[in-house]
Amino acid sequence: MAKHFNLTLHVWRQKNAKCDGKFVEYPAENISPDMSFLEMLDVVNEGLIRKGEEPIAFDHDCREGICGTCGMVVNGRPHGPKERTTTCQLHMRSFKDGDNITLEPWRAEAFPVLKDLMVDRGAFDRIIAAGGFISAPTGSPQDANALPIPKENADLAMDAAACIGCAACVAACPNASAMLFVSAKISQLALLPQGQPERYLRVRDMIAQMDAEEFGTCTNHGECETACPKGIKMENIARMNRDFIKASLTYRPATIGGGAG
Amino acid sequence: MELNSRIPDGPIEKKWDNHKFDLKLVNPANKRKYKVLVVGSGLAGGAAAASLAELGYEVECFCYQDSPRRAHSIAAQGGINAAKNYHNDGDSVRRLFYDTVKGGDFRAREANVHRLAEVSNNIIDQCVGQGVPFAREYGGLLDNRSFGGAQVSRTFYARGQTGQQLLLGAYQALQRQVGLGTVKMFARHEMHELIVVDGVAKGIVTRDMVTGEIKSHLADAVCLATGGYGNTMYLATYAKGCNGTAIWRAHKKGAAFANPCFTQIHPTCIPVTGDHQSKLTLMSESLRNDGRIWVPKKKEDCGKPASQIPEDDRDYYLERKYPSYGNLAPRDIASRAAKQVCDDGRGIGETGLGVYLDFDAAIKRLGANKIEEKYGNLFEMYERITDENPYKTPMRIFPATHYTMGGLWVDYNLMSTIPGLFVLGEANFSDHGANRLGASALMQGLADGYFVIPYTIGGYLAGIKPGSRIKAEDPAVKAAEQYVSDRVAKLFAINGKETPTHFHRELGKVMWEFCGMGRNEAGLKKALQLIPQIREEFWKNLRIPGSGADVNQSLELAGRVADFLEIGELMCLDALERRESCGGHFREEWQTEEGEALRDDENFCHVAAWEHKGEGQTPVRHVEPLSFENVHLATRSYK
Ligand SMILES: Cc1cc2nc3c(=O)[nH]c(=O)nc-3n(C[C@H](O)[C@H](O)[C@H](O)COP(=O)(O)OP(=O)(O)OC[C@H]3O[C@@H](n4cnc5c(N)ncnc54)[C@H](O)[C@@H]3O)c2cc1C
Ligand code: SF4
Ligand code: FES
């Protein structure tokens, strides 16, 4: 059995969106290196509940790095020290006895803190609702193999589609820009033939919504790419920008008219 | 209680077509006058909410996560089945139907399964149309792989993230409707009660998980697509928030619960490391395409590193026992075989509860690159969790709770025993019998959501007057709201000493031991004594700090655990009463000489559907007989 160890946590506690928050110190004792980071927090929380104190609120669900629910800033880094790893997949073997760990929520204008380490990422859903889809009503598509797609494009689309919507990119960006997230969806759909009819409409509508949500602008710091647990690349941002320019140049308001008869 | 399955007449290939024609239609102009609630935004709920809104119904959709995109379907790794036969290897609707009925050990309804196989092909078309980036071959056409219980390659996949990609497709379709204003989405809302008026489902009561507000939502029909109840076992491959609350409340309001003991224990999960363990992680079944499962032949070798055990001293037990399916034997069989070798003292790892899944031969044959391309993200995930490199040493795996075949009883239209209440996806019981084959849950969720409910709900709504919804002032609505707030107050009032997780863990231990991979009469009777004790202790000694007026994760968990403590009991009762072995339900008293499940078709070729009779009353077991006219009842063999 690996040796257990002790840590000190400095955790952002905030009752709700309206109250101010502050850091509170908690010991985390008898931690096994095989525990996941969230299991370590579970242990601390069980102790708090037994004492009648409110446990530290944090979002989580799958604990497998795929649902994108978890996420906190660990010692200044979104999702913590391990590259390409969500908070739930971080393990305590990345830490050592006596470490101090600071935990904060994602910080961005567009993501109000709901409680402690939990934020409201509804802005991401609204961006998708604005255009992050292909209009394919149920029952309408043709046979799946009727449209061959070069493997290379399918693979690139899949790379972009791997985004889990966790918002670490926003938390990492000094401007709190959402460009990496938005460009990943735009790229995925722009790389596929099915995505072509709405390609320019999509980029325009999604970017308009992104701006309305008060995300910052991208000034090429590249922090987003480093923080992203799914390896989403900044080349997606370049692809989105090209499409956006093209969309702006070719913009024509939709013609409205009824059919004859 | 009447269990009318409403299976249409006619030959099996024609039933669904005929039925679609026979169903009454709702006039397009009238559709917007009907409101439908969809609880759940996974594959089943997301697909249903989007499709119903496209048809013109007014839809409200609910999920407990902060976004519909995070429903547990997102975690499915391996793939989705369809009978496309793109590879010319002999697949067909008939074969998918046959494999699924047989895979379920003859405890599913033939007519439902056939419909599932029929619409499987439409699902793939639909998803590709939405931009789901399925894996492709160099020629640009779709690629397939094999899953357990099948001898054809019919599984479509998107790397190891198939569920994620399918769900994002459904989510995007849903968000499109949200943008158009046809769906109102309620994220971070948990359903706590079903509103039933004169025996008909008319709405739900939810708790806003941010503000604590308890509110009712009224409608013309309610669809539950809230997933499985496998977290009753505490340690499982489910997401932490998965719960049985919605279906349990519906059950208590009159919906029969079918085959609650039919749970799936998946053979390939990462083993437990200690008491702190909060969940178990699946290693996709697709790995069994290339990985070989083994343990040492000799007990003395179990402590040695795998590399020091020569080929001749390894027991590739699945290949040995089931030569024609080998490592791709169905899940129930593969799990039981793992348990047997571990019971035999040949398990590996610190706890002795583990077997190897070895890629050495595949890496030598195909090269590490090819293996990385197929399974890279799974290998990475394994390494992150265990700190071991599966390209160099074999994976260590062990079975874990993964899926519930049981669920609310539904008829062919997916309607429960409460008119107006429909149940979709893993939450219902309908298609997988006593064992689900790999890659068929995604298929079923999407079939229900995209291609079944849009038709069948129309048939129901066409029979009720538009605009006949009940009013918020109705006493039934007030009573339901009151019930929910009283229950929250009751949980706070206990003010004991123990955490909700403590009780959940205790329940899980009992369930795993007595209602897990092997079950017997004495054990189940013991569990039926222990569970009420834990429940009593829960209601005496639970502690939830904070208040119900804002985010309170302990309260959320406590509410779910309270329900698991009741669901677990029904699972054990059902397991006790089903005196046969079938699929994942292995009663040790009923096995062949070789240790295989022994069905009793004479007495148990039926669905057991339980009716709630009130608090503290013993539930009543009803029976829906199953008949097999197209696939002949036979002992399942994968040898
Ligand atoms: C790790 C893993 C891998 C898997 N891999 C595969 C695979 O490769 N192929 C395959 O076919 N199947 C696979 N499965 C099974 C499959 O993923 C699930 O059975 C399926 O996705 C369930 O879909 P669903 O829509 O029924 O429910 P879910 O996706 O579980 O969705 C449930 C929804 O209901 C909501 N909800 C739940 N309770 C409440 C409540 N009380 N109030 C409000 N909302 C609520 C949730 O928020 C969520 O939106 C896998 C399962 C797991 C765990
Ligand atoms: S781009 Fe990366 S960091 Fe940003 S939301 Fe997607 S997965 Fe998370
Ligand atoms: S909890 Fe799902 S990604 Fe971390």
Side-chain angles (χ1 to χ4, degrees):
Chain A
M1 275 288 163
K3 206 170 154 295
H4 287 212
F5 56 86
N6 301 325
L7 307 155
T8 308
L9 308 181
H10 306 270
V11 185
W12 183 261
R13 301 298 310 256
Q14 180 172 340
K15 192 166 165 40
N16 55 40
K18 286 172 232 124
C19 300
D20 290 334
K22 61 169 196 285
F23 282 103
V24 180
E25 196 180 297
Y26 299 99
E29 282 156 0
N30 208 15
I31 300 304
S32 148
D34 286 332
M35 280 181 189
S36 73
F37 196 79
L38 300 186
E39 284 168 348
M40 180 275 291
L41 285 178
D42 290 343
V43 171
V44 173
N45 275 344
E46 294 260 295
L48 289 175
I49 297 174
R50 290 203 177 94
K51 283 197 281 180
E53 290 178 39
E54 277 203 66
I56 302 158
F58 60 90
D59 264 322
H60 66 102
D61 204 22
C62 74
R63 297 200 173 191
E64 292 189 359
I66 191 73
C67 71
T69 311
C70 69
M72 54 188 84
V73 179
V74 182
N75 286 340
R77 289 189 58 170
H79 287 308
K82 209 158 167 157
E83 246 176 60
R84 295 201 55 178
T85 303
T86 54
T87 312
C88 61
Q89 290 282 282
L90 185 62
H91 278 69
M92 295 315 292
R93 60 182 84 91
S94 295
F95 299 88
K96 56 181 195 312
D97 192 40
D99 274 356
N100 279 279
I101 306 178
T102 308
L103 296 179
E104 295 169 80
W106 289 167
R107 301 221 189 256
E109 200 82 2
F111 299 149
V113 174
L114 297 176
K115 185 173 186 140
D116 302 341
L117 306 174
M118 200 182 241
V119 299
D120 178 356
R121 286 170 291 199
F124 272 16
D125 289 323
R126 291 188 291 273
I127 292 173
I128 299 295
F133 48 74
I134 289 172
S135 300
T138 301
S140 59
Q142 60 180 348
D143 183 84
N145 254 351
L147 194 64
I149 300 175
K151 181 167 164 38
E152 198 188 324
N153 285 9
D155 286 349
L156 279 174
M158 181 61 223
D159 289 344
C163 165
I164 57 174
C166 64
C169 46
V170 178
C173 175
N175 308 331
S177 160
M179 294 283 253
L180 196 63
F181 165 77
V182 178
S183 68
K185 188 49 64 191
I186 286 174
S187 285
Q188 177 204 340
L189 301 180
L191 280 158
L192 297 169
Q194 309 90 301
Q196 298 313 308
E198 292 161 302
R199 179 168 179 177
Y200 298 105
L201 192 65
R202 177 182 308 120
V203 70
R204 212 168 44 229
D205 289 350
M206 288 179 76
I207 288 184
Q209 187 63 36
M210 176 179 90
D211 292 342
E213 298 285 354
E214 304 198 31
F215 288 104
T217 49
C218 171
T219 46
N220 285 314
H221 285 269
E223 300 286 344
C224 53
E225 192 178 280
T226 316
C228 175
K230 295 293 143 181
I232 303 296
K233 296 257 170 20
M234 282 180 67
E235 66 190 39
N236 291 304
I237 299 183
R239 201 178 279 121
M240 171 172 86
N241 285 338
R242 280 198 301 275
D243 273 14
F244 185 61
I245 291 169
K246 201 155 168 201
S248 315
L249 292 175
T250 56
Y251 177 67
R252 246 187 283 141
T255 41
I256 302 169
Chain B
M1 174 175 278
E2 194 207 6
L3 298 175
N4 181 352
S5 61
R6 295 193 177 77
I7 296 172
D9 293 333
I12 192 119
E13 303 80 21
K14 289 271 172 267
K15 284 182 195 288
W16 178 230
D17 265 349
N18 292 345
H19 188 61
K20 279 193 289 187
F21 185 76
D22 291 340
L23 282 167
K24 275 185 273 172
L25 295 176
V26 178
N27 166 337
N30 272 345
K31 286 208 176 86
R32 66 189 159 75
K33 297 183 191 155
Y34 292 104
K35 187 179 197 173
V36 180
L37 307 182
V38 179
V39 189
S41 64
L43 289 182
S51 306
L52 293 174
E54 284 164 5
L55 285 173
Y57 297 110
E58 186 187 344
V59 176
E60 289 185 359
C61 182
F62 304 81
C63 71
Y64 70 75
Q65 292 91 350
D66 70 325
S67 160
R69 67 177 287 150
R70 308 199 200 283
H72 177 55
S73 295
I74 199 113
Q77 302 168 349
I80 176 166
N81 286 333
K84 284 283 195 187
N85 193 31
Y86 280 156
H87 293 265
N88 200 28
D89 59 354
D91 204 5
S92 60
V93 166
R94 178 101 191 155
R95 188 173 298 282
L96 175 53
F97 161 66
Y98 172 86
D99 286 348
T100 309
V101 169
K102 175 182 166 195
D105 214 356
F106 301 91
R107 291 295 174 263
R109 255 190 224 140
E110 278 192 337
N112 286 58
V113 179
H114 200 276
R115 172 175 68 190
L116 177 66
E118 283 172 57
V119 302
S120 67
N121 292 337
N122 305 67
I123 295 172
I124 303 302
D125 300 342
Q126 183 60 32
C127 297
V128 167
Q130 291 167 341
V132 169
F134 281 121
R136 288 179 184 266
E137 296 170 338
Y138 282 98
L141 301 175
L142 292 162
D143 192 17
N144 286 127
R145 58 187 173 201
S146 307
F147 257 57
Q151 287 176 315
V152 292
S153 262
R154 64 159 74 99
T155 305
F156 293 78
Y157 66 101
R159 293 199 189 138
Q161 290 122 284
T162 316
Q164 178 197 30
Q165 294 311 316
L166 297 175
L167 183 62
L168 292 180
Y171 159 74
Q172 286 160 207
L174 175 63
Q175 288 305 107
R176 175 168 168 257
Q177 296 302 317
V178 170
L180 292 169
T182 55
V183 176
K184 202 157 171 227
M185 185 69 220
F186 294 85
R188 292 200 201 266
H189 276 67
E190 189 162 42
M191 168 178 161
H192 283 265
E193 182 61 321
L194 181 75
I195 300 172
V196 179
V197 182
D198 298 331
V200 179
K202 288 291 179 191
I204 64 170
V205 182
T206 58
R207 178 175 178 272
D208 180 327
M209 295 157 76
V210 176
T211 65
E213 188 193 13
I214 290 165
K215 195 169 172 288
S216 43
H217 305 260
L218 308 173
D220 298 290
V222 178
C223 298
L224 298 187
T226 50
Y229 52 92
N231 271 349
T232 310
M233 314 279 261
Y234 185 60
L235 287 183
T237 62
Y238 286 82
K240 289 296 286 176
C242 291
N243 64 87
T245 293
I247 56 170
W248 192 246
R249 294 315 156 78
H251 172 60
K252 288 186 148 185
K253 281 291 181 86
F257 201 131
N259 301 332
C261 79
F262 285 176
T263 43
Q264 176 159 85
I265 314 279
H266 194 293
T268 57
C269 304
I270 301 178
V272 174
T273 58
D275 287 341
H276 56 261
Q277 194 93 28
S278 63
K279 76 155 277 163
L280 294 169
T281 302
L282 175 79
M283 286 286 109
S284 167
E285 175 158 312
S286 59
L287 293 168
R288 291 199 269 145
N289 271 284
D290 289 302
R292 299 179 69 196
I293 294 181
W294 63 276
V295 289
K297 279 185 184 159
K298 296 182 260 178
K299 289 181 196 169
E300 323 65 280
D301 282 350
C302 291
K304 293 184 191 163
S307 58
Q308 286 176 22
I309 303 173
E311 199 55 37
D312 280 350
D313 289 340
R314 299 177 176 192
D315 179 11
Y316 294 92
Y317 57 88
L318 288 177
E319 297 172 26
R320 172 170 59 79
K321 291 168 81 169
Y322 309 102
S324 61
Y325 282 72
N327 292 297
L328 283 173
R331 292 176 177 176
D332 53 336
I333 290 178
S335 291
R336 219 143 44 225
K339 179 177 187 290
Q340 280 160 359
V341 294
C342 294
D343 287 350
D344 193 27
R346 294 189 288 140
I348 51 96
E350 264 178 46
T351 56
L353 295 175
V355 302
Y356 288 123
L357 177 60
D358 196 339
F359 294 88
D360 195 43
I363 291 173
K364 286 197 178 111
R365 188 174 76 243
L366 304 166
N369 281 351
K370 186 77 194 163
I371 293 296
E372 188 181 349
E373 191 180 299
K374 280 174 134 171
Y375 312 114
N377 69 322
L378 297 171
F379 277 44
E380 259 177 45
M381 180 148 78
Y382 181 84
E383 182 163 5
R384 238 178 252 131
I385 294 172
T386 62
D387 212 20
E388 291 172 4
N389 178 347
Y391 293 98
K392 301 216 170 89
T393 53
M395 286 184 179
R396 289 175 297 115
I397 51 154
F398 195 66
T401 304
H402 177 64
Y403 184 87
T404 49
M405 282 77 70
L408 293 187
W409 184 92
V410 288
D411 65 13
Y412 189 72
N413 293 322
L414 303 184
M415 192 160 86
S416 69
T417 50
I418 303 177
L421 178 71
F422 294 80
V423 192
L424 284 59
E426 192 175 337
N428 74 25
F429 88 105
S430 71
D431 296 359
H432 307 295
N435 172 59
R436 175 174 72 76
L437 290 181
S440 58
L442 301 183
M443 170 170 72
Q444 183 226 333
L446 290 179
D448 289 0
Y450 285 134
F451 296 110
V452 180
I453 197 72
Y455 291 91
T456 59
I457 209 168
Y460 172 76
L461 292 172
I464 61 175
K465 218 167 95 223
S468 63
R469 239 171 290 171
I470 57 160
K471 302 280 174 303
E473 303 75 46
D474 194 287
V477 177
K478 291 290 152 220
E481 289 172 1
Q482 192 62 43
Y483 166 77
V484 175
S485 40
D486 287 352
R487 193 160 186 268
V488 169
K490 195 171 153 201
L491 287 166
F492 276 112
I494 305 169
N495 206 14
K497 295 206 163 56
E498 268 306 341
T499 67
T501 307
H502 164 79
F503 297 102
H504 198 181
R505 226 183 257 129
E506 293 298 301
L507 172 68
K509 281 184 208 149
V510 172
M511 295 301 297
W512 180 249
E513 183 167 353
F514 301 113
C515 200
M517 277 187 285
R519 303 156 175 195
N520 60 53
E521 174 145 351
L524 290 163
K525 285 191 168 152
K526 174 125 192 243
L528 286 168
Q529 278 174 354
L530 292 172
I531 297 168
Q533 286 169 15
I534 303 172
R535 193 165 60 223
E536 198 177 312
E537 181 67 14
F538 172 93
W539 286 104
K540 269 209 293 239
N541 200 18
L542 173 78
R543 177 149 204 173
I544 331 175
S547 87
D550 56 16
V551 175
N552 191 327
Q553 292 176 309
S554 314
L555 172 66
E556 291 160 18
L557 183 57
R560 294 168 190 164
V561 173
D563 291 329
F564 288 139
L565 284 165
E566 298 181 6
I567 298 173
E569 190 175 5
L570 189 66
M571 289 166 71
C572 292
L573 190 60
D574 186 47
L576 180 66
E577 292 301 324
R578 189 171 277 279
R579 293 183 166 80
E580 66 160 351
S581 292
C582 57
H585 171 64
F586 192 70
R587 279 288 299 263
E588 285 155 1
E589 302 94 319
W590 286 275
Q591 50 180 308
T592 64
E593 269 170 28
E594 291 150 321
E596 305 290 347
L598 194 61
R599 275 197 337 254
D600 177 356
D601 291 331
E602 194 146 328
N603 296 302
F604 289 96
C605 191
H606 59 230
V607 177
W610 294 84
E611 180 185 4
H612 180 75
K613 282 291 189 189
E615 292 310 327
Q617 307 290 314
T618 313
V620 174
R621 185 177 190 270
H622 299 273
V623 158
E624 178 202 335
L626 292 169
S627 60
F628 293 89
E629 286 156 15
N630 297 276
V631 184
H632 293 294
L633 274 171
T635 302
R636 228 167 33 136
S637 167
Y638 292 94
K639 297 219 182 262

